[in-house]
Amino acid sequence: MLATRGRVTEGRSETLVWHKPVGDTVNEFQAIACSDTVGIVLPAPKQDVPLDLDKPGERWCPDCLALITDRLAALSRRLGSLNYIEK
């Protein structure tokens, strides 16, 4: 899944938090799916990140991940109903 990263400091450690980007980067600001007002300032290039990310010090934003999985489930249901119609 295409994602943009943000950094979160948790205690003494820093964690990369991956977000689903929305639209293009505008004036060095990247909008993200989990917020209408918050985004990533001076974002790094978007990267392909697995949904089942299992890297130390990195995680998906739980709200972005929930949005992604909900949309994938809805798409799967729609495709399943199309397959039923074709049979």
Side-chain angles (χ1 to χ4, degrees):
M1 175 64 54
L2 200 57
T4 189
R5 67 181 184 210
R7 295 184 186 277
V8 175
T9 302
E10 298 169 333
R12 298 186 126 198
S13 64
E14 190 173 80
T15 302
L16 286 181
V17 179
W18 293 96
H19 293 273
K20 179 178 181 351
V22 176
D24 294 326
T25 302
V26 178
N27 295 329
E28 301 179 350
F29 178 83
Q30 176 64 63
I32 52 179
C34 61
S35 176
D36 291 334
T37 57
V38 177
I40 308 294
V41 178
L42 298 172
K46 297 172 190 169
Q47 296 180 32
D48 192 24
V49 178
L51 293 177
D52 59 350
L53 179 65
D54 188 22
K55 283 176 112 175
E58 296 185 29
R59 64 178 171 84
W60 272 97
C61 160
D63 294 333
C64 285
L65 187 58
L67 289 168
I68 294 165
T69 55
D70 287 350
R71 288 180 186 158
L72 288 174
L75 179 61
S76 178
R77 285 191 299 273
R78 278 186 266 159
L79 290 174
S81 65
L82 288 175
N83 289 334
Y84 179 75
I85 292 169
E86 291 177 5
K87 291 180 182 178

